[in-house]
């Protein structure tokens, strides 16, 4: 192995991890923006299918909260968590 090669590989892997985490976090932010755009009025959540002036049932609120916001965010957050876990694992392996 050439001198300095290990440092260069480490830098490249670090850059890859930075890029992957940044892209994944950008998708979380975009998802938040989409949710705000699609499911809110003046930054307040409006459950889907709510008739103006009507009081939604608790069951409707639960279903809408999951469909409109929580499932979308959970999907993106789970993806970022997987990417971060892989990066942490690779960094730990490299430091051994």
């Amino acid at each position: 192995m050439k001198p300095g090669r290990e440092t260069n590989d480490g830098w490249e892997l670090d850059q890859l991890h930075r890029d992957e985490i940044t892209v994944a976090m950008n998708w979380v932010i975009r998802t938040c923006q989409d949710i705000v755009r699609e499911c809110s009025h003046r930054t307040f959540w409006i459950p889907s299918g709510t008739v103006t002036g009507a009081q939604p049932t608790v069951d409707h609120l639960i279903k809408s909260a999951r469909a409109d916001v929580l499932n979308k965010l959970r999907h993106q957050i789970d993806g970022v968590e997987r990417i971060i876990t892989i990066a942490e694992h690779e960094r730990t392996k490299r430091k051994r």
Side-chain angles (χ1 to χ4, degrees):
M1 184 183 287
K2 296 182 203 173
R5 175 80 176 142
E6 188 175 315
T7 304
N8 189 31
D9 286 346
W11 180 88
E12 290 172 359
L13 190 58
D14 283 349
Q15 185 60 46
L16 174 65
H17 291 153
R18 278 192 290 275
D19 292 346
E20 288 175 333
I21 292 166
T22 300
V23 167
M25 287 304 299
N26 285 338
W27 276 108
V28 171
I29 298 301
R30 286 185 192 109
T31 300
C32 291
Q33 291 170 329
D34 289 345
I35 290 168
V36 168
R37 190 173 26 262
E38 295 168 8
C39 305
S40 72
H41 175 69
R42 295 184 180 174
T43 68
F44 291 97
W45 173 55
I46 300 172
S48 60
T50 302
V51 180
T52 304
Q55 187 172 14
T57 65
V58 173
D59 288 337
H60 176 75
L61 287 174
I62 290 168
K63 182 179 175 185
S64 185
R66 286 184 174 136
D68 297 348
V69 180
L70 300 176
N71 292 341
K72 293 174 184 177
L73 284 175
R74 188 172 290 116
H75 176 74
Q76 294 299 329
I77 291 168
D78 288 348
V80 174
E81 285 291 348
R82 278 192 298 277
I83 289 168
I84 289 172
T85 299
I86 290 167
E88 288 172 331
H89 177 72
E90 289 176 349
R91 291 171 57 80
T92 300
K93 238 170 57 174
R94 186 180 73 206
K95 290 179 182 180
R96 288 183 191 165

